[in-house]
Amino acid sequence: MATAAGVSGTAADSRKQAGKKLVDNLQSDLRALSNEARRKYPPVKEAAESGILKVRTAASKAEDIIPALQAASVEILHPVILGCDTKNPKIVQICLGCIQRLITHEALSVPAGVSVVKMLWNLMESGLEELKLLQTVIILLTTNSIVQGSSLATSLVMCFRLYFTKDSTTINTASAIVRQLVTLVFERVEVEDETPPPEDMDAVRVESLKTVSGKAPASLRPCAKDAFLLFQDLCQLVNADQPQWLIGMTEMTRTFGLELMESLLSRFPEVFIKHPEFSFLLKERVCPLVIKLFSPNIKHSQRLVAPPQLGALDKPYFPISVRLLRVVCILIQQYYSLLVTECEIFLSLLVRFLDPDKPPWQRALAVEVLHKLSVQPSLLKSFCQCYDMKAHSTKIFRDLVNAIGAFIQSLFMQTSLHVPTQQQSGSNASQNPAQPSVLVAGMPVGPGVTPQAAFIYRGVWLPISSNYTPGITKPQILEMLEKVDAPPVPEGYAVSVAYACLLEVVRSLSIIMDGKPEPEACKQVVDTDSEKTALNRELVSSSWCGVLAALSLLLDASTDEAATENILKSVQTYASLCGMLSLTTPRDAFITSLCKASLPPHYMLTVLNPQGGATGNSSPPFKQADLILGHVRTNSQNMAAAVNSAYQGDGDTKNQVVVVGTSLPTASLPIGAQQGPVMLTAKNLQCMRAILSIAHCHGGVLGTSWHLILTTLQHLVWILGLKPSTGGSLKAGRVADSQAVLTTAILTDIPVLSFMLSRLFESSQ
């Protein structure tokens, strides 16, 4: 008790000392004001001297000085307000300093706060002390909450007006202060919500919300009323309509308005979700506005020449588009449960943004948003539940996956790059020594050149611009808020993001089906095992064709070991998910894809032949997935041979030929169908390891696809020239009627493959 009393006494002493110091400083300020106004402004001088007496009187009558000064603050401010009315720079500086002292010591009453706001408005209209004025506003509003309602609106308008002045320093300062104050208005709501509302609060009346007015709903408390009217006016301003609460606004840009809306939506989801009035603003103001502003982006096509009557607003404008997509991303991520119907529209628009006739920057923005959505398993699950599983609804999840796959394919459908000859390259090198001596499909190769991770398909080379990190998104174009003109999309960036997006879809499906915990706020209630199974089967049914076709294309195109490994892991994961759900068609299609990738192109193997074979059920689905993108596997070894010859032995790629062997004679094929040597690349063997891995780890769910796997392994073992040795393991050596040539690059892999084969057969006994 003694300790508590001592602390209380210390606090009281400290407050008393602060009060005395404030009195001394106020008297000093008023004397300075009196001296400065003595000659030109006698009324101000007299008022300042009178103010000194009022400060002394208030301080002498009370034990606690600051509350006494607060009670007399209107009278104390009188000479200060008169001083500001003179518009004299020196006098104004003295007055603003005095006001800031009163504010920081919380010695202003509510009426005094209103008087200060009016005085600052007059200074703003006169163009005086703009930086000091902004400083005073921020102190006034952040110290406490005495300024509310119309005075708060006036304060915000002042800062907005100063943001649109011509002085760069003032603009930058006002920009930061506007952002801070807009956030502050909503932070007050959070504080207000911590206390229970009074019992006599009015009920929410939706009909009254439909009319835009400067009067807030009676069902809200004071701070929430201010926030409601502020956000409503931001929507009005972005829509080029007149504000109802921010009276006096003379200028506003859509870009700045969208930035402020995005900031509030991302930081205060609990306010918009908890209060029906704010939820109404989302559905009835924000969503229609976003759809309206999206219109130029959807209508515009690079292939079409705009008719003369279309103005600038009818073309996609990068600064607006990037901010719109940021808002859309937040609406889907944080407000999906409130906006199921609206999100269906947004997602459909995103799919259209990926169309080949859209500008490259617009397509890159859309795929960045899809990447941000794909890392949230709960969202993908909700899309499937709310759309794909409904009888008469758009198959949104299916369309998203197919659109990503089609987008990847379209990037390789551009005109094939010119491949210079050695002679051409040599002449170019003499002119510019910095250029590499050889280009293969646009990829620089040659002695001393480290090959860049990339995808090569049909003569088009696209570098992998960033490493894939599960669950992490690092958008570039979405962050370019300072750009006025659309930036060029870095080469390979779009395919790198789409590749990561595809891997995230598979990863998210795995998380959903493995039953890993999700954030409480994102959980969808699924009551029974049968409902879970139905959801999981629909997730696979909606996505497997698009995922398989796109992963097969990327696997064929990949020249990077890490990228190939990521793709193979996704294929294995998806195949195992299909197996666990007893979905034999997609499971066998993914296994077929792996088996094909492990063998040389055009290798004649009946069970993998789309025209028919022993496992007729497995081939059509793979063909069906190919039809999604029209993907046909290319002879990637031809490209690899060109790359390898250019490196002249100094480089090493995953397409490097490491084995030359012969085909396994098969009774079902005509004699002579597989004449001549066949080649295996390092990538073929990487795929072989993936087959062995999935067979060992998920053998229990592979069912009839075991036939595909064992037949493929039989052919690979023959091509590699492996034969049984003492103890049952397989080792490299001559096989009857065939001979395999192994390069030094493969010698270390043979024991690993032999061990994996032995483990597989041991575990299957």
Side-chain angles (χ1 to χ4, degrees), residues 127-147:
L128 293 172
E129 295 295 331
E130 293 176 338
L131 291 176
K132 192 100 174 180
L133 187 153
L134 286 168
Q135 184 186 48
T136 305
V137 171
I138 193 69
I139 295 172
L140 177 63
L141 297 185
T142 56
T143 300
N144 52 38
S145 57
I146 62 170
V147 176

Side-chain angles (χ1 to χ4, degrees), residues 73 76 80 160 186 197 301 340 428 443 525 537-538 543 601 627:
S73 57
I76 295 172
V80 176
F160 274 113
F186 274 73
S301 169
V340 174
N428 290 339
M443 178 173 67
V525 177
R537 292 175 73 91
E538 183 61 39
S543 63
L627 291 176

Side-chain angles (χ1 to χ4, degrees), residues 36-343:
E36 193 64 39
R38 181 175 52 194
R39 294 183 179 177
K40 292 186 177 180
Y41 309 101
V44 176
K45 173 183 175 297
E46 293 175 4
E49 291 175 350
S50 175
I52 293 172
L53 293 175
K54 288 174 182 174
V55 169
R56 287 177 182 171
T57 302
S60 63
K61 287 184 177 180
E63 184 72 21
D64 198 344
I65 296 174
I66 291 180
L69 292 175
Q70 186 184 78
S73 57
V74 173
E75 296 175 339
I76 295 172
L77 277 177
H78 179 64
V80 176
I81 293 173
L82 288 178
C84 288
D85 288 342
T86 66
K87 308 296 189 294
N88 181 287
K90 287 186 178 181
I91 292 178
V92 169
Q93 285 185 5
I94 295 170
C95 293
L96 289 177
C98 181
I99 290 171
Q100 289 182 10
R101 290 190 202 281
L102 288 166
I103 295 171
T104 53
H105 286 82
E106 298 189 55
L108 284 183
S109 62
V110 172
V114 173
S115 299
V116 169
V117 170
K118 291 179 180 178
M119 179 207 69
L120 294 174
W121 178 270
N122 292 333
L123 290 178
M124 182 271 299
E125 290 196 315
S126 301
L128 293 172
E129 295 295 331
E130 293 176 338
L131 291 176
K132 192 100 174 180
L133 187 153
L134 286 168
Q135 184 186 48
T136 305
V137 171
I138 193 69
I139 295 172
L140 177 63
L141 297 185
T142 56
T143 300
N144 52 38
S145 57
I146 62 170
V147 176
Q148 296 183 358
S150 60
S151 295
L152 175 60
T154 302
S155 302
L156 290 168
V157 171
M158 272 191 279
C159 298
F160 274 113
R161 293 265 293 262
L162 292 173
Y163 173 72
F164 291 103
T165 57
K166 296 180 180 179
D167 181 72
S168 60
T169 304
T170 303
I171 292 171
N172 292 333
T173 305
S175 172
I177 288 178
V178 166
R179 296 173 197 275
Q180 184 177 348
L181 293 183
V182 166
T183 301
L184 172 73
V185 173
F186 274 73
E187 287 174 345
R188 289 182 176 182
V189 182
E190 289 184 322
V191 174
E192 187 177 67
D193 285 344
E194 291 175 0
T195 59
E199 296 180 359
D200 58 347
M201 286 288 293
D202 291 355
V204 180
R205 294 170 54 197
V206 176
E207 288 298 321
S208 65
L209 299 176
K210 294 181 179 179
T211 304
V212 178
S213 71
K215 186 177 180 181
S219 52
L220 294 173
R221 288 188 279 180
C223 293
K225 286 182 177 180
D226 290 340
F228 178 92
L229 292 172
L230 169 62
F231 194 81
Q232 177 182 259
D233 272 6
L234 286 177
C235 296
Q236 289 286 104
L237 290 163
V238 172
N239 200 34
D241 292 326
Q242 287 297 316
Q244 301 295 316
W245 187 62
L246 297 173
I247 305 300
M249 289 283 291
T250 56
E251 193 174 356
M252 184 63 170
T253 61
R254 276 182 171 161
T255 51
F256 192 45
L258 286 170
E259 285 179 30
L260 295 174
M261 289 173 62
E262 179 209 341
S263 173
L264 295 175
L265 291 170
S266 63
R267 291 192 58 180
F268 303 100
E270 64 283 350
V271 173
F272 287 92
I273 293 172
K274 178 178 180 178
H275 297 280
E277 300 86 352
F278 286 84
S279 301
F280 177 87
L281 288 180
L282 278 184
K283 291 181 72 72
E284 302 299 328
R285 301 284 185 269
V286 176
C287 291
L289 173 61
V290 169
I291 294 169
K292 171 187 172 182
L293 295 179
F294 257 139
S295 181
N297 297 277
I298 297 302
K299 293 177 181 177
H300 181 72
S301 169
Q302 289 195 126
R303 298 174 184 170
L304 302 175
V305 178
Q309 67 269 24
L310 292 182
L313 291 178
D314 295 307
K315 297 178 182 179
Y317 180 49
F318 177 77
I320 296 291
S321 298
V322 69
R323 288 161 177 81
L324 269 180
L325 281 171
R326 288 170 67 96
V327 170
V328 164
C329 191
I330 290 167
L331 290 174
I332 297 174
Q333 286 179 312
Q334 302 199 38
Y335 301 97
Y336 180 82
S337 59
L338 287 177
L339 307 171
V340 174
T341 303
E342 291 79 7
C343 285

